[in-house]
Amino acid sequence: MNGDELRSFLLTNNTKQATEWDAIKKAFNPETVEINGEQVYVFDMIFDLTVTPIEDPIGISQQLPTAYVPMHIHHYIELIYVYQGQCTIVMQNGKMTISEGEIIIIDKRTPHAVEGISESDIVIDIKLKHDYLSSSFLSRFTHKSIISQFLVDSLINNRRVNNYLHFPFENRSNIAGIMEHIMCEYFEKDFCSADMINSYLFILFTELIRHSNNSNSIKPVDTKQDDIVLEFLKYIEDHYKDCSLTKMASHYNYHPNYASSVLKKATGKSFKDLLQIQRLNKAALYLTNSDLPVAEIAEKVGYTSLSFFYKKFNDIFLQTPKEYRENKL
């Protein structure tokens, strides 16, 4: 299936008659639970009587214009993507309209419903059995960058507070192409389609993290403070070899104590800790991508004492530089 075939497939689907809500209730007999004083249904399936509850790592379906499902929750994370047009997401604290190219990720056990889909709107629903927004999964993105680690932590904290993440991408963003590939593989499965989908999902969440600091919907309330933190982290990444707190603070016309406090509050780490992490991450890259001697690598990343470099490297990676290089071969 290619992009044109996918569009034709989705347009044809949109003309189908959805299963009536009474039939869904009768077939699945969903239980209800009370959340924040409201009774909501519990569903871990696609709302189509021809589809069984999710057995694969993901389940993808199309929200039909004629479908109706009241407030409900899932035990899985749900990703809603507007392929064309728009739709309205109903949450317990209000409504949100998302438009073409945008994504909303709704956390587990978060009451919600989808409404306002017309015949010209195409809305895609993806239920994720694996938690692609867990700390353990997202740590795969952060191995060599203190900035990406900060963005991931911000993403996780925002999800924890709001129970959803909204990514207001435009339809011409990279997200559209990634989502198209995922749907093509899912709706017309071929050899290794499951592996392809998992790979595209990794790319998708990488793209979400890359753009998370550009989205007003997922920024912390103190946007100015967040921008300052990113500037500090960028400075450390760019000047890790000879960086100092005094130099960095002076570069931005701040007092060193203020810069130190901002970094500690935002990241939970001191300036020295962040500098060590960045230097050691660079050293790890040299170890895996060059034949340079360890002593030369230590010097290149800003260490004057080889024994101190060995100690700090072992503290972070729990192995010597030599062991790290051998294990990565």
Side-chain angles (χ1 to χ4, degrees), residues 52-302:
T52 57
I54 300 172
E55 298 295 339
D56 296 328
I58 72 167
I60 303 179
S61 62
Q62 189 170 340
Q63 302 258 10
L64 299 181
T66 55
Y68 167 73
V69 178
M71 291 288 277
H72 61 280
I73 64 170
H74 308 291
H75 293 301
Y76 304 136
I77 287 177
E78 183 173 16
L79 184 154
I80 297 173
Y81 169 66
V82 180
Y83 176 88
Q84 177 178 292
Q86 64 180 28
C87 72
T88 299
I89 309 298
V90 183
M91 312 284 275
Q92 285 190 313
N93 60 350
K95 296 183 178 182
M96 177 187 304
T97 298
I98 60 174
S99 301
E100 188 167 329
E102 297 185 10
I103 284 176
I104 184 170
I105 299 175
I106 301 172
D107 212 349
K108 303 172 184 176
R109 295 186 59 80
T110 300
H112 66 283
V114 180
E115 64 178 32
I117 303 177
S118 71
E119 293 182 359
S120 61
D121 301 319
I122 298 179
V123 180
I124 304 301
D125 180 87
I126 303 181
K127 294 182 178 65
L128 303 166
K129 179 173 287 190
H130 300 310
D131 191 344
Y132 287 89
L133 285 175
S134 67
S135 299
S136 58
F137 180 83
L138 292 179
S139 66
R140 297 167 62 186
F141 299 103
T142 66
H143 187 50
K144 297 294 180 285
S145 172
I146 54 177
I147 290 179
S148 58
Q149 179 65 64
F150 172 71
L151 294 177
V152 164
D153 289 344
S154 297
L155 212 58
I156 292 172
N157 290 336
N158 191 276
R159 168 192 170 187
R160 187 178 298 122
V161 171
N162 296 322
N163 298 319
Y164 72 89
L165 291 169
H166 176 215
F167 298 88
F169 291 99
E170 297 178 349
N171 58 4
R172 62 178 180 272
S173 73
N174 293 337
I175 294 298
I178 298 168
M179 292 298 299
E180 181 179 288
H181 284 303
I182 291 173
M183 288 186 282
C184 285
E185 290 292 339
Y186 187 88
F187 290 127
E188 189 174 79
K189 291 184 173 65
D190 200 347
F191 178 68
C192 291
S193 280
D195 292 332
M196 293 287 284
I197 290 170
N198 279 328
S199 297
Y200 283 126
L201 284 170
F202 185 85
I203 295 170
L204 171 66
F205 282 96
T206 303
E207 193 74 20
L208 297 182
I209 291 167
R210 174 186 289 175
H211 291 283
S212 63
N213 64 312
N214 296 323
S215 170
N216 291 330
S217 297
I218 60 175
K219 275 190 175 183
V221 174
D222 193 348
T223 303
K224 182 179 178 182
Q225 186 91 332
D226 192 42
D227 290 341
I228 293 171
V229 173
L230 288 170
E231 288 290 336
F232 288 165
L233 295 177
K234 183 68 165 60
Y235 186 91
I236 295 171
E237 285 201 354
D238 291 343
H239 302 88
Y240 63 89
K241 185 173 182 179
D242 57 357
C243 185
S244 72
L245 178 60
T246 302
K247 284 183 180 179
M248 184 189 74
S250 176
H251 180 80
Y252 294 103
N253 295 317
Y254 291 116
H255 192 280
N257 290 347
Y258 172 77
S260 177
S261 175
V262 166
L263 283 173
K264 182 69 174 179
K265 182 180 178 181
T267 69
K269 298 179 178 66
S270 68
F271 170 83
K272 286 185 177 180
D273 289 338
L274 292 166
L275 180 58
Q276 296 289 354
I277 292 169
Q278 187 60 28
R279 285 176 171 176
L280 294 169
N281 280 337
K282 288 295 181 181
L285 285 173
Y286 278 121
L287 288 167
T288 54
N289 295 287
S290 77
D291 296 324
L292 292 173
V294 173
E296 188 174 340
I297 291 175
E299 184 179 356
K300 285 180 76 69
V301 299

